[in-house]
Amino acid sequence: MKTRQWIKSGSPWIWLTGGMISLSMIMVFGLLALIAVRGLGHFWPSPVVEFEFQATTETEPARILGIPMRSQNVSGYILREGGHQIPEDIELTQRFLIKQGNRDLTGRDFAWYPEPLITEWITPQEAMVIERREWGDFIGFLREVRKDGEVIAEGLAGREDLLPLVDRANELAGAINRIERFQIGGLNLQIERIRLAERGLTRAVDIDPEELRLRMAELQAERDELERQFEVLNAERLELMQQMLRDSLVAESMDGRRLEIPLANVVHVHWPNDMNLIEKISHYVTMIWNFLSGFPREANTEGGIFPAIFGTVLMVILMSIVVTPMGVLAAIYLREYAKQGPLVRLVRICVNNLAGVPSIVFGVFGLAFFIYFVGGNLDRIFYPDALPAPTFGTPGLLWASLTLALLTLPVVIVSTEEGLARIPSTIRHGSLALGATKAETLWRTVIPLSTPAMMTGLILAVARAAGEVAPLMLVGVVKLAPNLPVDGHFPYLHLERKFMHLGFHIYDVGFQSPNVEASRPLVYATALVLVLIIITLNLTAITIRNYLREKYRSESD
């Protein structure tokens, strides 16, 4: 009897809904915690351990030096089948994944070692980790520091001499990168424009031959001047590269082999077993900053993700600029001006169904309509001199933004219509009674009051657009973009360029990388950055929405 009364009171439904909300919150925060721990933990300087490993009694023990990444329980039978001499009485044991680096020496960065076949770990203070521009990390011991081929320091005492030289090499690398990326890149862009101008003149049929000769001579003079500037910059670049090759270090690997590493190939050096807490925190912050501000290396498995962050944010901003006016105007027409009837109901049904279309279909549409049709015609009309090389008739930032604007358009339309429907009719009638026209009532009273609903639609659109990957693979995103869509050359914003995207970067690193273990933490770290960017964009839109809500609420009062 009491149970029946309790059910009739509605309390079970309250507990059920509260439980579902709690479960949802636990899942969301649990997912974020997992991504944060796995991603951010990658940048902490983990200790380097040393132990001996003997696979069989017939082989000599091998010294292993590396960073423990994770462990797992494994059957002794499986290890014995894999060639390890595990005692028959061991049914279940552990094995450890060790990052031993030195891919250029051993051919692999990671290796598994069963616990019964290894000795006790030690953490040698002099163990060194070198982040290299090529071949991944090197883990070993510092033996020599060389300048111009002469040894200036030996052993662990060479740390004080090595670190300033590494900073010098990185400064030179930055200077070379600026010359290649900005100065020489700018010259190449100007030379390409001269080539197109020359081609346009040769294709012109109504130009006077004397004028043609003079203009071609002017263009040739400009080309000669640019090539002269290129020679100067190239000579400066080669000089800097020569200076980078001046210094080197000699390191010893775990198997006793010595390797000379030019400092031109070194990004960072640290001794994790000999660092105090402050040094570890400083190293941690530096690594995170390098990850956020750097450019990718080694097939995106190392380096930073700045181009992907920049491309994602820029694409979302362009998408918002396009989809907001389109969605708001469409909703205003449907709600305020269109004659309500079967046709308008059919349009609303189509809009709602458009939200359920798989995103890859939008990508196919964007490829066929925006790129092949619109872009191809733009090339034929405005860029005939560049053909057959396409300018806008190829995937790029503009077409990706338009495709995602089309994908998120139903969200903005539905939200705006809901906002317009919630405006009380008394406000409209009051405005009309005071002598305002319908247009004045709409634009000065109704639309400002429904602005929070429009912002809600924009928030949902931003959240979906930032996380989409499938359509972007067809309309503009690439694995590695040579240049950012924004630079210092007119028109500064290059909508035709391809760009990098965080979502596609996660897919590429997680599923296309040849080095799975090296890319695993980068997947988590990149996913965390993408989530944080979406949260930041949403919080910005929510702040604007709340501000507008309070503003127009006070004015309406």
Side-chain angles (χ1 to χ4, degrees):
M1 185 66 182
K2 290 183 178 179
T3 304
R4 184 176 299 175
Q5 290 178 349
W6 182 66
I7 294 175
K8 286 184 177 179
S9 67
S11 297
W13 306 112
I14 297 175
W15 281 100
L16 181 62
T17 52
M20 290 300 104
I21 291 176
S22 301
L23 181 62
S24 301
M25 296 296 290
I26 291 173
M27 293 174 65
V28 170
F29 285 108
L31 177 62
L32 290 178
L34 173 67
I35 295 174
V37 170
R38 294 287 182 87
L40 296 178
H42 168 67
F43 303 103
W44 186 258
S46 302
V48 176
V49 301
E50 180 182 347
F51 56 87
E52 287 190 348
F53 168 70
Q54 188 173 15
T56 63
T57 54
E58 290 79 17
T59 59
E60 293 291 330
R63 185 176 67 162
I64 305 299
L65 187 70
I67 301 173
M69 303 302 294
R70 57 192 170 94
S71 63
Q72 66 177 202
N73 294 324
V74 61
S75 166
Y77 172 78
I78 294 178
L79 293 176
R80 285 188 288 273
E81 289 295 314
H84 298 291
Q85 287 190 349
I86 304 295
E88 292 293 336
D89 58 338
I90 295 181
E91 297 181 356
L92 187 66
T93 184
Q94 270 193 324
R95 65 176 181 176
F96 301 95
L97 180 65
I98 303 297
K99 178 183 179 181
Q100 53 194 27
N102 311 355
R103 192 192 318 152
D104 47 341
L105 298 179
T106 61
R108 58 178 182 174
D109 293 296
F110 298 85
W112 288 97
Y113 294 97
E115 186 179 18
L117 303 182
I118 63 177
T119 60
E120 187 177 356
W121 292 357
I122 61 172
T123 53
Q125 296 294 311
E126 66 274 18
M128 172 182 63
V129 178
I130 304 176
E131 181 184 354
R132 298 185 291 184
R133 291 186 171 83
E134 297 177 350
W135 296 107
D137 290 349
F138 183 93
I139 300 176
F141 303 98
L142 178 64
R143 291 297 178 241
E144 294 177 356
V145 179
R146 295 180 179 179
K147 181 186 291 184
D148 286 327
E150 297 182 0
V151 179
I152 61 172
E154 293 183 343
L156 192 60
R159 290 173 50 173
E160 302 301 326
D161 297 297
L162 176 62
L163 294 179
L165 296 179
V166 172
D167 293 337
R168 171 184 175 275
N170 282 327
E171 290 176 1
L172 292 173
I176 293 172
N177 182 57
R178 286 191 291 274
I179 291 176
E180 292 177 342
R181 186 176 295 275
F182 301 111
Q183 297 180 349
I184 293 181
L187 291 179
N188 289 334
L189 184 62
Q190 295 180 57
I191 291 174
E192 175 63 14
R193 288 175 177 172
I194 289 176
R195 185 187 72 82
L196 295 178
E198 290 175 340
R199 190 175 181 189
L201 289 175
T202 56
R203 293 174 67 250
V205 295
D206 55 348
I207 188 170
D208 182 71
E210 182 62 21
E211 182 182 357
L212 174 62
R213 186 184 65 79
L214 292 175
R215 294 180 64 180
M216 292 292 282
E218 292 175 356
L219 292 174
Q220 183 60 40
E222 291 181 22
R223 182 197 297 274
D224 293 341
E225 173 60 20
L226 292 175
E227 290 180 349
R228 187 192 65 78
Q229 295 179 20
F230 173 80
E231 293 298 331
V232 173
L233 289 174
N234 192 43
E236 183 180 354
R237 183 179 69 91
L238 295 176
E239 173 63 23
L240 293 175
M241 293 179 69
Q242 195 63 34
Q243 293 182 26
M244 281 184 67
L245 296 175
R246 186 195 69 176
D247 307 321
S248 64
L249 64 87
V250 176
E252 181 180 311
S253 66
M254 63 183 183
D255 55 3
R257 283 183 285 179
R258 291 198 172 194
L259 179 69
E260 182 175 3
I261 304 173
L263 296 193
N265 192 27
V266 175
V267 178
H268 188 265
V269 183
H270 68 285
W271 288 262
N273 297 343
D274 196 28
M275 298 171 73
N276 55 38
L277 180 61
I278 295 177
E279 290 173 336
K280 288 185 177 181
I281 293 175
S282 175
H283 173 88
Y284 184 69
V285 174
T286 302
M287 290 298 104
I288 291 179
W289 171 250
N290 292 340
F291 178 69
L292 296 176
S293 62
F295 284 73
R297 307 190 310 269
E298 295 283 297
N300 290 347
T301 59
E302 295 180 11
I305 57 171
F306 176 72
I309 296 175
F310 190 87
T312 303
V313 175
L314 183 59
M315 184 206 66
V316 170
I317 292 174
L318 292 176
M319 181 277 301
S320 302
I321 293 174
V322 174
V323 75
T324 303
M326 288 176 59
V328 169
L329 291 176
I332 289 174
Y333 180 80
L334 289 174
R335 174 60 59 180
E336 302 293 335
Y337 290 107
K339 184 180 179 180
Q340 303 301 313
L343 181 59
V344 172
R345 287 197 295 272
L346 178 62
V347 171
R348 286 200 178 95
I349 291 173
C350 292
V351 169
N352 292 331
N353 287 335
L354 197 62
V357 174
S359 59
I360 189 65
V361 177
F362 285 94
V364 175
F365 174 81
L367 179 67
F369 179 73
F370 290 131
I371 296 176
Y372 291 156
F373 180 71
V374 180
N377 284 308
L378 286 177
D379 284 350
R380 280 188 287 274
I381 296 172
F382 296 105
Y383 304 96
D385 298 333
L387 292 175
T391 303
F392 279 95
T394 183
L397 176 63
L398 176 62
W399 307 133
S401 302
L402 291 179
T403 301
L404 288 189
L406 188 62
L407 187 149
T408 55
L409 185 61
V411 178
V412 180
I413 292 177
V414 172
S415 299
T416 305
E417 269 208 277
E418 291 296 325
L420 293 171
R422 284 202 299 267
I423 305 300
S425 59
T426 54
I427 293 180
R428 301 169 191 264
H429 295 159
S431 176
L432 294 173
L434 291 174
T437 64
K438 183 177 181 180
E440 290 173 335
T441 300
L442 178 64
W443 293 103
R444 296 186 179 182
T445 304
V446 176
I447 291 180
L449 290 175
S450 59
T451 303
M454 300 176 191
M455 294 302 299
T456 301
L458 180 60
I459 292 169
L460 297 174
V462 166
R464 181 169 184 189
E468 281 292 344
V469 175
L472 297 178
M473 296 168 66
L474 300 177
V475 294
V477 168
V478 292
K479 174 187 177 74
L480 190 62
N483 296 301
L484 296 176
V486 176
D487 60 20
H489 303 287
F490 185 81
Y492 310 114
L493 176 60
H494 302 274
L495 296 173
E496 78 283 3
R497 286 184 182 175
K498 297 176 177 59
F499 65 103
M500 296 180 66
H501 183 269
L502 284 171
F504 183 76
H505 189 78
I506 293 172
Y507 164 77
D508 177 66
V509 174
F511 296 97
Q512 303 294 322
S513 172
N515 196 341
V516 177
E517 294 296 341
S519 59
R520 188 193 301 272
L522 297 182
V523 171
Y524 288 107
T526 308
L528 179 63
V529 172
L530 178 59
V531 171
L532 292 178
I533 287 177
I534 294 174
I535 291 175
T536 303
L537 292 173
N538 283 343
L539 288 178
T540 304
I542 290 172
T543 303
I544 297 173
R545 182 188 65 183
N546 293 340
Y547 169 76
L548 293 174
R549 177 182 293 165
E550 294 301 322
K551 176 184 177 182
Y552 292 120
R553 177 183 296 169
S554 61
E555 290 182 358
S556 63
D557 292 342

